[in-house]
Amino acid sequence: MAGSEPVTAPDQHKPGHRRSGRIGAVLSAAVLVLMALCGNHEGNVENIWLFGLAALLLAVVIGDAVLRRNGLRS
């Protein structure tokens, strides 16, 4: 029986909500930028971290979209 059926993980049977994940990542990045612009902190270290994390989130979303468009991710 095992020879005729492909071996897959349980996570492969349940597709995730890609669109919700992308929207959540973009909204989180927007909140991080707003926190950096409207925050009550005086140093720039916090701004660097907030802008860096927002840029990282957006880079992951854009990279995922490019890879999916090119057919490199399922």
Side-chain angles (χ1 to χ4, degrees):
M1 187 71 181
S4 62
E5 293 182 17
V7 178
T8 58
D11 294 340
Q12 292 175 335
H13 300 293
K14 296 180 185 178
H17 300 286
R18 287 184 214 126
R19 185 174 175 150
S20 299
R22 288 180 183 174
I23 291 171
V26 171
L27 288 176
S28 297
V31 168
L32 288 172
V33 169
L34 286 174
M35 285 172 53
L37 295 176
C38 301
N40 61 355
H41 46 271
E42 296 185 17
N44 282 330
V45 175
E46 294 90 354
N47 290 338
I48 292 170
W49 273 99
L50 292 170
F51 283 127
L53 289 173
L56 180 67
L57 278 173
L58 293 177
V60 168
V61 169
I62 291 169
D64 182 56
V66 168
L67 288 177
R68 288 187 189 279
R69 181 174 292 148
N70 293 336
L72 297 176
R73 290 192 67 177
S74 57

